[in-house]
Amino acid sequence: MSSATREAKNIRVLIAMLGLDQHEVGAVAVTGLLRDAGMEVVYAGRFNLPRAVVKAALEEGVDVIGLSCHSWEYLYYLDELLALLREHDLDVPVIVGGSVVTTGDAQALLAKGVRAAFGPTATPAEIIAAVQELAGAATQPRARSTAPAP
Amino acid sequence: MTERRTQSRIPLQPVYVPADLAAFDHAAKLGEPGAYPYTRGNRAHGPGGAGWIQRELSGEGDAKRSNEQLKYLLERGQTGLDVIGDTPTMGLLDPDHPLAVHAIGTQGVSLCCLSDYRDLYEGLPLERITMSHSLPAVFAVAALHCVARERGLAPAVLRGSVIQAPYYCEDCSYAVHMPFKLRVRMAADTIAFCAAEMPKFHAFIEDTYFISESGLDSIEEMALGFVELRGLVRELLRRGVPIDRFAPRIAILLNCRMDFFEEVAKIRATRRLFARMMREEFGATDPRSWAVNIAAHTSGLTLTAQQPANNIVRGAIQALALACAGVQAIEVSTFDEAFRTPSPEAHLVGLRTQQVIHLESNVGQVADPLGGSYYLETLTDDLERRISEMIESIEARGDAAELSDSGWFRGLFQTAIERHARGIADGTTAKVGLNVHRVPEADDVLLREVAERKIEPARERIAWMKQYRTGRAPEPLREAMAALDECARDENANLLPAIIAATESGATMGEMSGTLRRAYGHSADPFGYPDAPL
């Protein structure tokens, strides 16, 4: 575990799905996994556009944004989401995960600025470790923002 | 030694012996195949040479592309059709809805108006072939009714089926954003309408596949399915529809996972439970009302993204279980399921899997070939008891609408998902290639290229919709939508005639859904977008 890793109990994670992706099994399972690991999970569920995800991240002061996907919609929404985060000066790492994420997709995501991308071969330990490391790398524990939502 | 259990965690003995069936009443528990209580199947003979209805899940892009897909499968020996809508369609949204843009036609077919259904059915003999519609029932039936009449076919000759999922759709997939009461009304209206107008059509498919892919076990799957089925039966009886008018056309579309004997036992227990419930509880007197048709999908959730070729084996084992259980229709979830709706290559392997079992294995020659096994009969009894107990315990909790609104059902699905994920994470559920016998990612190449091929969203539908909307005659459309609004506000009226009239006048599913939501005090658009300018 790296020195920058933050203790699980001090980590807030947003879990969301984008567009009309309805298959929620992965999102619910990851939420359970991170909660079992001691983290606080804000579950935004299905039917979010990038704006709603960024708004929730701002309002909830999360350390990490986790996007769960079982459709390819994330491929098209991700640029907008990353641009909105930059626009709001919100340095929250984004993690993408789902069975539809191929090795090629994962590489493309990392090149765009997603901080970690997990396909179907990811183990629970790998996911938890990545969230802890990315949260630990954040400069300060994030206070809840009162800034106007995008 | 680890404890022996089925996948639904039912304790098992190391072996089953005659003493396990010492008190077994063959006449009461089994009877003959094709006779009450139908444990051994709803037909006197095995499927034999005719086989079961063999079909594969279809639907991709727009209706024309999906029609080509259906014909591709028919040309290769498929004996029925099975079509699913894309996520906007399943969520009652038109393809030009702001949330639909990247999801049009990628996980099913995009359908929203009569001309789409004309394209979907083009060249298909609707009076001969059975099409299983995994589509919003009330709108699909209305459109099918219209297309049949345009072709000069009496709706009474139409065959096929449509799924009903009013209780759980908001909680475990394909949310339609409608209140419980309206969801139940749409289902009951469709079933009552078809009982009168389309008597050969199975408008009452209790779809437990749909709900159980969240990780429910076999007991939970069937208990929740029966709770919904019984709720709809009571609603139809309350309206005065006689039980024997609609019960012969009830079917259950269920899931088949990897526990071979548990799945066979589940199906046999389901037939027995259904027969007893219909005869003894609901007073059905027509034997056809006692014998439920069973269709099944092999389980997508049991398939893995790792080593996709292994999924072909899983599909074959599950389909063999279904053939042994004597079901009426099978769909094999294909090897690329973890990534996408079926590619043409995967479609063909799924279909060939069924054809090999049907034509080469000989399992269909004899009805209920596993019947009488000490193990299977004990397990069938055990499952019947456990499913019954769970139905009773859920119904004892009170009104299903409250259980839905309060999130109680949702909690049950979440628990199942987390249990499923933990089982795989801690290795108690073995998944070859995933948590045991893994291979390095670089070596996992067989069939991967096919499985990872993506489907581009059919965004051309957005421009098409704009043209479509402006091309309609406004006055008949306005009148039909006003009539639908009036009909929706009268809870004693059946929605179907008004939905059929609106469909004929060019109304889209999104527009009609909005009108229904508004009549029930909700905003027309579930996501707060401005109402369509009608």
Side-chain angles (χ1 to χ4, degrees):
Chain A
M1 208 176 266
S2 83
S3 58
T5 296
R6 193 185 297 179
E7 237 189 305
K9 68 177 171 45
N10 296 324
I11 299 174
R12 264 165 92 78
V13 186
L14 180 74
I15 296 290
M17 296 173 66
L18 287 165
L20 293 178
D21 188 352
Q22 293 249 20
H23 292 82
E24 214 176 352
V25 171
V28 172
V30 163
T31 297
L33 176 74
L34 299 180
R35 279 189 183 143
D36 286 352
M39 300 180 200
E40 189 183 347
V41 181
V42 179
Y43 187 66
R46 296 176 286 177
F47 312 123
N48 298 289
L49 289 177
R51 246 175 310 137
V53 175
V54 175
K55 181 171 184 278
L58 266 171
E59 287 176 356
E60 298 290 344
V62 295
D63 304 296
V64 174
I65 296 171
L67 300 172
S68 168
C69 32
H70 194 77
S71 84
W72 298 309
E73 288 162 85
Y74 79 95
L75 290 169
Y76 308 103
Y77 285 124
L78 212 72
D79 288 337
E80 186 187 342
L81 189 135
L82 294 172
L84 275 170
L85 288 175
R86 281 192 295 271
E87 197 179 302
H88 289 270
D89 218 9
L90 203 56
D91 182 25
V92 182
V94 174
I95 299 181
V96 173
S99 75
V100 295
V101 180
T102 66
T103 310
D105 293 334
Q107 282 161 359
L109 289 169
L110 296 175
K112 276 176 197 267
V114 167
R115 302 293 296 280
F118 292 112
T121 55
T123 63
E126 284 167 352
I127 296 170
I128 292 167
V131 174
Q132 280 188 300
E133 282 189 28
L134 288 171
T139 45
Q140 289 293 322
R142 209 168 300 278
R144 287 190 199 211
S145 168
T146 50
Chain B
M1 192 178 188
T2 54
E3 202 180 0
R4 294 164 204 269
R5 287 181 180 271
T6 68
Q7 277 180 359
S8 297
R9 303 174 302 287
I10 298 173
L12 293 175
Q13 302 167 193
V15 67
Y16 288 79
V17 295
D20 291 309
L21 296 183
F24 191 78
D25 183 343
H26 281 80
K29 290 271 177 74
L30 298 181
E32 301 301 321
Y36 191 85
Y38 298 96
T39 314
R40 309 200 66 190
N42 63 354
R43 313 255 161 91
H45 307 287
W52 51 90
I53 295 172
Q54 295 162 10
R55 59 196 184 199
E56 289 297 313
L57 184 76
S58 309
E60 181 182 307
D62 64 10
K64 283 186 180 151
R65 195 156 119 207
S66 298
N67 177 270
E68 286 168 16
Q69 219 183 14
L70 297 174
K71 287 175 178 165
Y72 166 89
L73 288 164
L74 287 175
E75 283 163 10
R76 282 155 184 79
Q78 186 164 275
T79 55
L81 299 170
D82 183 5
V83 70
I84 189 165
D86 62 4
T87 51
T89 302
M90 299 307 281
L92 310 182
L93 302 173
D94 292 339
D96 55 351
H97 189 280
L99 254 103
V101 57
H102 303 310
I104 308 168
T106 58
Q107 292 181 313
V109 55
S110 173
L111 297 170
C112 76
C113 59
L114 182 53
S115 80
D116 289 339
Y117 282 88
R118 284 189 196 114
D119 289 342
L120 181 71
Y121 297 135
E122 192 277 319
L124 302 176
L126 296 175
E127 69 282 21
R128 289 205 311 276
I129 195 108
T130 69
M131 186 184 284
S132 162
H133 297 77
S134 289
L135 288 171
V138 72
F139 300 107
V141 164
L144 176 62
H145 196 271
C146 293
V147 174
R149 284 181 290 110
E150 285 176 358
R151 288 193 191 174
L153 284 175
V157 306
L158 291 171
R159 302 177 57 191
S161 63
V162 71
I163 62 164
Q164 301 288 357
Y167 275 33
Y168 314 116
C169 60
E170 303 296 314
D171 296 322
C172 62
S173 252
Y174 302 132
V176 295
H177 307 281
M178 284 181 165
F180 187 88
K181 203 173 174 184
L182 174 55
R183 301 195 316 254
V184 170
R185 177 182 175 189
M186 287 161 71
D189 282 359
T190 310
I191 297 164
F193 177 84
C194 289
E197 295 253 334
M198 292 159 60
K200 289 185 175 175
F201 188 82
H202 289 82
F204 192 164
I205 302 288
E206 174 55 48
D207 185 356
T208 66
Y209 179 82
F210 176 82
I211 58 176
S212 58
E213 281 290 274
S214 57
L216 298 183
D217 65 29
S218 294
I219 300 159
E220 294 163 334
E221 173 195 359
M222 296 325 302
L224 283 171
F226 270 110
V227 165
E228 182 173 61
L229 191 154
R230 291 159 60 82
L232 280 176
V233 167
R234 290 194 196 100
E235 171 61 18
L236 288 154
L237 295 177
R238 188 190 66 77
R239 293 162 171 226
V241 186
I243 186 82
D244 286 321
R245 180 79 60 79
F246 66 89
R249 292 292 171 195
I250 298 177
I252 300 178
L253 171 56
L254 46 74
N255 198 353
C256 185
R257 308 168 189 75
M258 284 306 290
D259 190 328
F260 189 95
F261 285 98
E262 180 171 83
E263 295 297 342
V264 176
K266 175 189 83 181
I267 291 167
R268 299 171 86 247
T270 295
R271 283 195 293 250
R272 188 154 75 206
L273 272 165
F274 186 91
R276 289 193 174 144
M277 174 185 82
M278 278 297 163
R279 191 170 87 169
E280 291 159 25
E281 188 177 345
F282 293 122
T285 55
D286 183 342
R288 294 177 311 144
S289 299
W290 307 334
V292 69
N293 274 298
I294 306 266
H297 293 191
T298 65
S299 167
L301 192 66
T302 62
L303 307 183
T304 59
Q306 297 82 357
Q307 303 174 38
N310 297 348
N311 295 332
I312 298 173
V313 181
R314 295 186 177 104
I317 291 171
Q318 295 170 20
L320 182 64
L322 292 168
C324 290
V327 303
Q328 276 66 58
I330 300 177
E331 179 225 294
V332 173
S333 289
T334 52
F335 67 77
D336 48 6
E337 166 86 16
F339 298 94
R340 51 168 295 163
T341 49
S343 58
E345 294 88 341
H347 258 155
L348 196 58
V349 174
L351 179 59
R352 294 290 185 253
T353 302
Q354 299 206 45
Q355 290 164 335
V356 168
I357 293 172
H358 167 215
L359 298 169
E360 299 181 19
S361 80
N362 240 9
V363 290
Q365 297 300 313
V366 171
D368 193 28
L370 303 174
S373 142
Y374 307 125
Y375 173 35
L376 187 70
E377 296 303 350
T378 307
L379 194 54
T380 302
D381 281 2
D382 205 339
L383 275 157
E384 182 189 17
R385 180 177 55 77
R386 286 168 192 264
I387 294 165
S388 270
E389 285 170 0
M390 190 170 175
I391 297 168
E392 272 176 43
S393 85
I394 295 174
E395 290 189 343
R397 287 179 175 272
D399 187 33
E402 275 172 35
L403 294 178
S404 175
D405 294 344
S406 69
W408 190 82
F409 289 133
R410 168 100 187 152
L412 214 143
F413 290 113
Q414 280 190 1
T415 305
I417 290 173
E418 291 187 18
R419 184 183 63 213
H420 172 78
R422 279 196 199 102
I424 288 176
D426 66 22
T428 45
T429 306
K431 296 289 332 163
V432 171
L434 195 165
N435 59 11
V436 61
H437 303 305
R438 289 168 65 126
V439 295
E441 212 170 317
D443 297 344
D444 187 0
V445 292
L446 185 59
L447 297 179
R448 185 154 293 276
E449 200 182 318
V450 174
E452 292 187 356
R453 208 187 301 143
K454 292 184 170 64
I455 302 166
E456 276 294 305
R459 294 199 192 89
E460 64 278 7
R461 291 271 288 159
I462 299 171
W464 183 88
M465 283 303 296
K466 195 164 278 177
Q467 264 191 322
Y468 175 84
R469 287 189 200 279
T470 52
R472 299 174 294 184
E475 200 45 33
L477 177 62
R478 199 196 57 75
E479 280 171 23
M481 292 301 277
L484 175 59
D485 180 62
E486 196 179 324
C487 174
R489 288 171 200 277
D490 174 6
E491 288 189 0
N492 294 316
N494 189 307
L495 290 166
L496 257 296
I499 290 179
I500 288 171
T503 303
E504 280 178 323
S505 76
T508 68
M509 181 174 67
E511 291 162 350
M512 291 188 274
S513 304
T515 298
L516 296 177
R517 285 193 197 95
R518 242 192 327 251
Y520 276 72
H522 290 247
S523 65
D525 188 286
F527 302 103
Y529 290 95
D531 293 0
L534 258 186

